[in-house]
Amino acid sequence: MLAFQADLDAAGPDDVAAVIARHVAPDYRWRGVYPFAEQNGADAVAKVFWEPLRRAMGPMQRRPDVFLAGFNDVVVDQRLVDAESEGRADDEPVWVCQMGHHLGLFDEPWLDIPPTNKMCFVRYAEFNAVAGGRITESAVFVDVISVMRQAGHYPLPPQTGSSHIYPGPMTHDGLLLEPQAEQEGVATMDLVNRMCTDLFEANRIANEGGDDRVPAEVLARTWHHDMIWSGPEGIGATYTIERYQQQHQYPFRFNLGAKDFNGHVARFAEGTYACFFGWPNLTNTPTGGFLGLPGNDVRADMRVVDVYRRRDDKLAENWVFIDLLHWLKMQGLDVLERMRQLNGERF
């Protein structure tokens, strides 16, 4: 995985497709946030995502803050379940997650976002499944709205949280390049699963007409009081359980209805870090107020990434990506198209 990223980072825009092809399987599947969609094969991925980004932001640096790998905790194939009694299946992929920022000089338009001719941070989380020495599938989340804000084209009402370039782990130990004790990863995954169970129960109660307010004591079962939650641009970041509830959890819970969990594509842990993503994770209905926008009756999907750091027996940090452009597009608001119209594109 690191060899692939090193080769990709060293390649020029015209060489990206060939580099990707050397490292991926023939039936390579790639998932990208809106507007990149799902692509198949090296040529399509290079043309749709990597080449335009590299041309707009070159020269680019990859600045990772978290790197972990593990076997998927999500059952996706009954063969894998059957094989677990005798060990892992031979063809089970290893999932790898890397999170950080791409740094470049924003000298050319990207997605028609006007360039700044200044340095720009493109926040990313990248998941890759590796089997037989090849990458078989990937999911790449980038925070497009963050790039719009840096370019002076922020498209949404004011955020409830703080907007800034998010730092990596407080402990500066997120790049897991050496083997970690297996029991540490097991403990981290168990903690994340218990936290998710608490949220699923809260959603069930709310969907059945109960109170949508989650007491702080429930969060405190799995979170440190001084937690840091770093959400997507449009929501922002927040610090401590109290402010997290005020600045994200309650706006999310009170202003989105009929929340259904759709599952994860990959969920795994290594050491004191864990992560997951879904496609989509959640489906909900805006009832009014979320992101400062009005409600409607449209069921819309949220594709979400969560990356966690455990400290002792509770979670301390959480980095979150949500494909808000896709969620809004499903409701009839194409944020990028509206930006183009504001910049003079004719109807």
Side-chain angles (χ1 to χ4, degrees):
M1 194 65 247
L2 293 175
F4 163 65
Q5 292 176 338
D7 288 351
L8 182 63
D9 294 346
D14 295 334
D15 302 319
V16 166
V19 168
I20 295 174
R22 289 202 300 268
H23 291 273
V24 303
D27 57 349
Y28 177 52
R29 178 187 183 186
W30 187 92
R31 300 174 177 91
V33 297
Y34 183 81
F36 307 111
E38 297 190 36
Q39 306 295 330
N40 294 292
D43 289 343
V45 174
K47 180 179 180 180
V48 168
F49 181 73
W50 286 111
E51 290 176 8
L53 178 63
R54 298 292 289 274
R55 288 194 171 93
M57 299 285 179
M60 287 180 61
Q61 296 181 2
R62 182 188 297 265
R63 303 175 66 88
D65 294 309
V66 173
F67 182 87
L68 70 153
F71 288 107
N72 201 346
D73 191 57
V74 179
V75 175
V76 294
D77 191 326
Q78 187 61 39
R79 293 180 302 110
L80 304 182
V81 179
D82 296 339
E84 283 189 352
S85 60
E86 301 177 0
R88 294 281 178 177
D90 291 340
D91 58 348
E92 181 176 1
V94 173
W95 279 90
V96 182
C97 172
Q98 187 182 80
M99 183 199 76
H101 294 86
H102 293 291
L103 169 64
L105 294 173
F106 194 1
D107 287 346
E108 300 292 339
W110 184 57
L111 301 175
D112 293 324
I113 304 170
T116 64
N117 300 114
K118 299 177 181 178
M119 62 192 300
C120 181
F121 287 86
V122 183
R123 185 175 179 238
Y124 75 91
E126 182 176 340
F127 288 75
N128 293 282
V130 181
R134 294 276 180 170
I135 302 169
T136 59
E137 59 180 303
S138 302
V140 175
F141 285 70
V142 289
D143 197 332
V144 176
I145 299 177
S146 173
V147 175
M148 296 178 72
R149 177 188 59 78
Q150 293 174 68
H153 292 266
Y154 182 71
L156 297 173
Q159 304 185 67
T160 51
S162 174
S163 175
H164 52 265
I165 301 301
Y166 297 147
M170 181 179 181
T171 46
H172 302 285
D173 62 354
L175 300 177
L176 306 183
L177 304 180
E178 300 295 333
Q180 305 294 305
E182 183 178 357
Q183 63 268 26
E184 291 294 312
V186 170
T188 304
M189 194 75 267
D190 178 66
L191 177 61
V192 169
N193 288 338
R194 285 191 283 117
M195 180 271 298
C196 290
T197 297
D198 287 344
L199 292 180
F200 298 157
E201 177 63 12
N203 287 344
R204 183 192 66 79
I205 292 172
N207 288 343
E208 293 178 357
D211 188 0
D212 214 356
R213 185 179 299 272
V214 179
E217 294 77 16
V218 173
L219 269 70
R221 294 202 292 250
T222 52
W223 291 94
H224 285 288
H225 178 264
D226 61 347
M227 63 174 289
I228 297 176
W229 188 88
S230 298
E233 196 77 35
I235 299 173
T238 188
Y239 171 51
T240 75
I241 287 178
E242 178 186 9
R243 297 299 171 85
Y244 164 75
Q245 291 195 295
Q246 174 186 343
Q247 296 172 358
H248 172 62
Q249 188 183 47
Y250 288 157
F252 188 94
R253 298 199 66 80
F254 297 161
N255 300 323
L256 297 173
K259 293 180 280 289
D260 289 331
F261 175 62
N262 301 312
H264 296 137
V265 174
R267 181 178 64 235
F268 56 96
E270 184 179 16
T272 57
Y273 290 84
C275 58
F276 57 65
F277 83 94
W279 202 258
N281 309 47
L282 304 168
T283 302
N284 50 52
T285 303
T287 56
F290 186 65
L291 303 183
L293 298 174
N296 56 61
D297 58 359
V298 177
R299 299 286 287 157
D301 295 334
M302 281 187 169
R303 303 162 173 170
V304 183
V305 166
D306 278 83
V307 178
Y308 300 93
R309 179 176 71 85
R310 173 175 62 86
R311 186 178 81 224
D312 300 324
D313 61 346
K314 293 185 179 182
L315 298 170
E317 294 185 84
N318 182 198
W319 297 266
V320 177
F321 295 72
I322 304 177
D323 189 356
L324 290 175
L325 294 184
H326 171 74
W327 183 76
L328 291 169
K329 180 71 163 57
M330 291 186 72
Q331 300 168 60
L333 173 59
D334 189 325
V335 169
L336 293 172
E337 182 61 27
R338 184 169 187 272
M339 177 200 65
R340 295 183 186 106
Q341 293 165 1
L342 291 173
N343 288 337
E345 182 180 274
R346 295 183 181 274
F347 283 91

